[in-house]
Amino acid sequence: ISIGDTTVTLTTTPIDIIPDAYIKIADDIYVVTNAEYKDLTSPVTVKLSRPIAAAQAAGVAVTVDRSCADIRLFGSARGYFYGLNVPNSAQSLARNITVQRDFRGSYVYDVYAQGVRTLKVRGCNFLEGAQSGAGANIKVVDGCRDVSIDENTFENNITGLTNVDNNIYMDATVSATKGSGNKFYNAKGDSIRTFKTTALEMLNQFPNNWFNPKIVNPFTVSTNVRVSTIGNNQVAYGSGIPDYGRWKRGDIVFNDTPSVGSPIGWRCTGSGDQGTWVSF
């Protein structure tokens, strides 16, 4: 291989060279940008460019808005701020969303979902996520319910490196999650980060997955409350007011370690991160 500023010459090579294919030269990664070449029998020069820079990532590949239902998404998304964004509110929720896509080079999140009822992420390939330097392949928050994450591959990057903090991030308000047959190759932190269940419960909810031995903690479970959903509000049990997650006015945490003189629980009076709470 002889290297120029923007080209590389390949000698006789019985392989296909197609646009968007990667070529690794020393520690640099390049992308083929010109037309397809098949079954090379003589030297050929192909044009190269560097992979999309984080600053160039913008927009959203797909937004599934409030009240949408029965949506199936296929194909691929590359270099977007979010690959899939599902914004919702308590009054208007997206329902029954199925995702089968390849995601590459998203700036923050490949899949970001709020309050979805029945979300299926299946057979996706997540590559080079969190180009911003922090983020997750999948983040589900704000009361998502009935979430299935199956047969996906996370961060099997040609460089062996990753920017994602977690492959899957779920806040305390998410319920009825499960997943199997996934392959977790890399994450800066934990492959699965949840604030809701115990480690044993997580193993039961996510059985038969493969974790690269280099991942120190496949699961991290951080919790001081256990959450259920009644109507449009969260009802939880714990030893004190929540120290994480998004909460909204009207949510309740019942004291599960009561004693003489201690409150029955705490009620959220102001929505937001961690919420604002008063005892009762």
Side-chain angles (χ1 to χ4, degrees), residues 47-102:
K47 296 180 182 179
L48 302 176
S49 69
R50 291 186 178 275
I52 186 168
Q56 294 175 301
V60 177
V62 176
T63 296
V64 177
D65 216 337
R66 300 166 179 84
S67 298
C68 290
D70 302 322
I71 305 294
R72 296 175 63 87
L73 301 172
F74 301 90
S76 61
R78 178 179 176 183
Y80 288 90
F81 198 85
Y82 290 177
L84 168 64
N85 183 33
V86 189
N88 283 296
S89 67
Q91 292 73 35
S92 182
L93 301 173
R95 290 174 170 80
N96 196 20
I97 310 301
T98 300
V99 185
Q100 291 179 274
R101 301 176 65 110
D102 291 336

Side-chain angles (χ1 to χ4, degrees), residues 22 30 38 70 76 79 104 127 175 185 187 198 239:
Y22 281 111
Y30 295 86
K38 290 187 176 182
D70 302 322
S76 61
R104 171 175 284 165
L127 293 170
S175 61
Y185 281 87
T198 67
S239 58

Side-chain angles (χ1 to χ4, degrees), residues 195-235:
F195 293 87
K196 179 164 184 177
T197 58
T198 67
L200 179 59
E201 288 172 323
M202 282 303 301
L203 287 172
N204 291 332
Q205 293 174 16
F206 281 79
N208 304 318
N209 295 285
W210 178 83
F211 296 91
N212 191 329
K214 70 185 294 183
I215 297 175
V216 178
N217 295 313
F219 299 102
T220 287
V221 179
S222 302
T223 181
N224 73 331
V225 297
R226 303 182 307 281
V227 186
S228 298
T229 301
I230 298 180
N232 291 324
N233 283 97
Q234 308 298 320
V235 177

Side-chain angles (χ1 to χ4, degrees), residues 94-122:
R95 290 174 170 80
N96 196 20
I97 310 301
T98 300
V99 185
Q100 291 179 274
R101 301 176 65 110
D102 291 336
F103 296 89
R104 171 175 284 165
S106 297
Y107 192 64
V108 183
Y109 304 118
D110 295 306
V111 175
Y112 182 80
Q114 297 175 282
V116 180
R117 298 296 186 261
T118 307
L119 172 65
K120 300 177 182 178
V121 183
R122 183 178 182 83

Side-chain angles (χ1 to χ4, degrees), residues 126-165:
F126 298 95
L127 293 170
E128 301 168 14
Q131 288 289 301
S132 63
N137 297 123
I138 300 173
K139 185 170 184 178
V140 288
V141 296
D142 295 347
C144 286
R145 187 186 305 166
D146 188 18
V147 178
S148 301
I149 303 173
D150 301 295
E151 305 293 337
N152 303 288
T153 301
F154 294 91
E155 296 299 306
N156 187 18
N157 300 324
I158 190 173
T159 61
L161 305 174
T162 185
N163 287 326
V164 301
D165 296 310

